């Protein structure tokens, strides 16, 4: 296994820091810290570089708040100031992310450029139609992010990185919190890296052909229920012994053709794919609210069209007819005219 050195000077390079600031500020130009750096980028990026070169960089105090996810779960979100932390995190990942990505299996899809939900969806659809697997094992890890022990994370990082200066910086970030703090830009990438040895164990040792992972959500397909039970026991043992992780007790082994695979926000069947029922109901509620008030705000337009991106790859003809009913199309046309923007439904519904 090749390990990489002489990376720290690339992280500290001024051009790399400028690109990091450019990428980190996207969608955050209204932040006070972003405006401050934008006013004099050479000054503030120079300070970041000096912190890194003199090893005076210290991770600041996290701001914590509770966020309720769409599924109803409450999660503690950790947030760091934009300057200098978000810039530093982007600068690091611009250098080492390509190294980490080369070590991932092909069917890991979380937080990897070019490997989003729709790519995973197309892969599963192709397998479902071509090979028609009969059974599915669906599982996920109990409290995954907080349960990733810092010492194990450091060991996994050292499998690919040997630069002592960069390891000092990564250790500083890892040790800033017990486990991986949700909301930290580095955490999603470290989480993916944390489970990469487990991915290779499933592929190379257990010889699982149809294994798909999105963060800690895992789907395994097979024609044998006995085989899935055997893999489940081996997976549970490996995660406990090597990663100090536990599976949630809600793991399931079920026939695919009866209930479909609930994964990535969709329900996969052999010959068709539907949206998850909870998502469909949320879209319909938004559509009915527009009809009820006979008006669509810009927020309504953006929300419905973002959901349209979810509907498009699935078999949702009937759902689209309900959501984009004539009343909604008229409201969208009026909103577009009022704000002098292009009507997002005009191309699809020429009668609007």
């Amino acid at each position: 296994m090749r390990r990489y050195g002489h990376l720290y000077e690339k992280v500290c390079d001024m051009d790399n820091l400028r690109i990091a600031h450019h990428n980190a500020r996207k969608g955050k130009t209204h932040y006070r810290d972003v405006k401050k750096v934008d006013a004099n980028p050479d000054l503030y990026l120079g300070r970041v570089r000096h912190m890194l070169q003199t090893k005076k960089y210290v991770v600041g105090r996290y701001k914590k708040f509770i966020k309720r996810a769409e599924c109803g779960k409450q999660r503690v979100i950790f947030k760091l100031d934009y300057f200098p932390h978000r810039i530093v995190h982007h600068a690091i990942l611009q250098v080492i992310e390509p190294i980490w990505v080369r070590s991932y299996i092909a069917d890991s899809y979380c937080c990897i450029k070019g490997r989003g939900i729709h790519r995973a969806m197309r892969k599963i659809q192709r397998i479902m139609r071509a090979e028609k697997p009969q059974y599915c094992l669906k599982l996920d890890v109990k409290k995954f992010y907080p349960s990733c022990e810092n010492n194990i994370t450091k060991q996994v990082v050292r499998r690919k990185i040997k630069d002592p200066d960069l390891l000092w910086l990564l250790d500083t970030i890892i040790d800033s919190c017990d486990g991986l703090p949700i909301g930290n830009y580095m955490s999603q990438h470290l989480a993916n890296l944390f489970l990469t040895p487990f991915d290779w164990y499933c592929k190379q040792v257990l010889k699982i052909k149809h294994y798909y992972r999105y963060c800690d959500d895992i789907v395994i397909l097979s024609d044998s229920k006995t085989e899935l039970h055997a893999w489940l026991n081996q997976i549970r043992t490996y995660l406990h012994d090597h990663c100090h992780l536990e599976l949630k007790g809600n793991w399931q082994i079920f026939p695919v053709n009866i209930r479909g695979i609930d994964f990535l926000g969709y329900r996969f069947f052999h010959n068709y794919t539907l949206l998850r029922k909870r998502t469909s109901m949320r879209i319909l509620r938004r559509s009915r609210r527009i009809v009820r008030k006979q008006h669509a705000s810009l927020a309504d337009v953006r929300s419905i069209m973002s959901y349209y991106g979810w509907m498009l790859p699935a078999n949702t003809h009937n759902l689209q007819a309900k959501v984009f009913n004539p009343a909604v199309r008229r409201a969208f046309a009026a909103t577009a005219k009022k704000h002098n923007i292009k009507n997002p439904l005009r191309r699809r519904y020429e009668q609007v």
Side-chain angles (χ1 to χ4, degrees):
M1 180 184 296
R2 181 181 176 185
R3 298 172 69 229
Y4 293 80
H6 304 291
L7 299 173
Y8 195 65
E9 54 266 29
K10 296 179 182 178
V11 173
C12 300
D13 183 75
M14 200 63 179
D15 290 335
N16 185 56
L17 293 175
R18 289 192 183 97
I19 297 171
H21 169 56
H22 174 77
N23 293 333
R25 70 190 289 277
K26 291 178 181 177
K28 300 177 179 65
T29 52
H30 59 287
Y31 283 20
R32 184 184 303 171
D33 276 2
V34 176
K35 292 179 180 179
K36 180 176 68 175
V37 178
D38 282 343
N40 195 342
D42 288 341
L43 171 65
Y44 288 101
L45 296 180
R47 290 181 182 177
V48 174
R49 187 185 188 194
H50 179 73
M51 290 180 197
L52 296 176
Q53 288 179 330
T54 58
K55 293 189 177 182
K56 292 182 178 179
Y57 173 75
V58 178
V59 179
R61 180 177 296 180
Y62 286 99
K63 300 174 184 176
K64 302 178 185 179
F65 59 93
I66 305 294
K67 183 176 181 181
R68 179 183 284 277
E70 292 183 350
C71 61
K73 296 180 182 177
Q74 288 188 342
R75 293 188 172 94
V76 180
I77 305 300
F78 295 74
K79 183 179 179 182
L80 285 172
D81 292 335
Y82 177 84
F83 175 84
H85 307 297
R86 296 283 293 191
I87 298 173
V88 170
H89 292 185
H90 275 266
I92 295 170
L93 285 169
Q94 283 165 188
V95 174
I96 63 176
E97 186 180 6
I99 296 172
W100 286 353
V101 168
R102 285 194 289 271
S103 69
Y104 298 157
I105 65 169
D107 288 317
S108 174
Y109 294 97
C110 180
C111 305
I112 305 173
K113 293 176 183 176
R115 292 200 219 168
I117 287 176
H118 287 167
R119 178 168 172 174
M121 178 188 182
R122 289 192 296 270
K123 177 70 175 288
I124 295 175
Q125 284 177 320
R126 188 164 62 249
I127 297 302
M128 294 287 282
R129 290 168 182 163
E131 303 191 21
K132 297 190 182 300
Q134 298 302 306
Y135 297 100
C136 171
L137 166 60
K138 190 172 185 294
L139 48 89
D140 61 346
V141 178
K142 182 179 180 181
K143 296 182 179 178
F144 173 52
Y145 275 75
S147 299
C148 294
E149 294 184 4
N150 294 3
N151 289 335
I152 299 177
T153 305
K154 293 177 187 177
Q155 292 172 14
V156 176
V157 167
R158 280 160 172 76
R159 291 188 174 203
K160 300 299 292 184
I161 307 297
K162 65 179 181 181
D163 185 326
D165 294 326
L166 182 54
L167 288 174
W168 162 80
L169 180 57
L170 290 171
D171 288 350
T172 299
I173 295 172
I174 292 169
D175 287 334
S176 65
C177 185
D178 291 332
L180 297 177
I182 299 174
N184 189 331
Y185 183 66
M186 288 285 295
S187 291
Q188 54 193 346
H189 299 275
L190 289 170
N192 213 10
L193 190 71
F194 191 96
L195 286 180
T196 296
F198 167 70
D199 293 338
W200 285 109
Y201 169 78
C202 291
K203 283 291 189 180
Q204 294 184 333
V205 179
L206 301 185
K207 306 292 184 184
I208 302 176
K209 181 180 180 182
H210 299 305
Y211 167 95
Y212 309 97
R213 180 173 67 82
Y214 191 89
C215 194
D216 65 320
D217 291 330
I218 300 168
V219 162
I220 300 174
L221 306 177
S222 175
D223 290 327
S224 170
K225 189 182 289 188
T226 303
E227 189 175 48
L228 290 176
H229 277 287
W231 284 338
L232 173 63
N233 292 330
Q234 291 168 303
I235 285 171
R236 183 185 285 115
T237 300
Y238 181 93
L239 288 175
H240 180 269
D241 294 345
H242 296 272
C243 304
H244 298 176
L245 298 175
E246 294 182 23
L247 293 179
K248 282 185 182 177
N250 62 351
W251 60 268
Q252 302 172 2
I253 295 178
F254 54 88
V256 170
N257 60 338
I258 295 178
R259 52 182 287 189
I261 304 169
D262 189 343
F263 187 51
L264 304 172
Y266 297 94
R267 292 168 61 210
F268 297 92
F269 294 86
H270 283 150
N271 297 314
Y272 60 96
T273 304
L274 302 177
L275 269 187
R276 182 180 286 162
K277 187 174 182 179
R278 185 168 61 239
T279 306
S280 301
M281 295 306 298
R282 191 179 302 117
I283 300 171
L284 285 171
R285 281 196 295 269
R286 179 63 70 107
S287 175
R288 289 165 185 162
R289 191 157 61 242
I290 292 173
V291 174
R292 196 163 52 246
K293 65 183 183 182
Q294 298 181 343
H295 169 72
S297 65
L298 277 177
D300 291 327
V301 172
R302 294 190 181 109
S303 176
I304 292 289
M305 295 314 297
S306 66
Y307 281 126
Y308 177 65
W310 280 84
M311 291 188 279
L312 202 57
N315 303 100
T316 56
H317 178 78
N318 292 336
L319 177 62
Q320 290 183 46
K322 291 179 181 179
V323 172
F324 299 112
N325 57 62
V328 170
R329 299 201 299 269
R330 286 195 296 270
F332 269 48
T335 302
K337 183 176 181 180
K338 177 181 178 181
H339 294 277
N340 195 25
I341 60 174
K342 185 177 179 180
N343 185 354
L345 298 182
R346 179 171 293 279
R347 184 174 297 178
R348 183 165 178 82
Y349 300 98
E350 292 297 332
Q351 66 267 38
V352 174

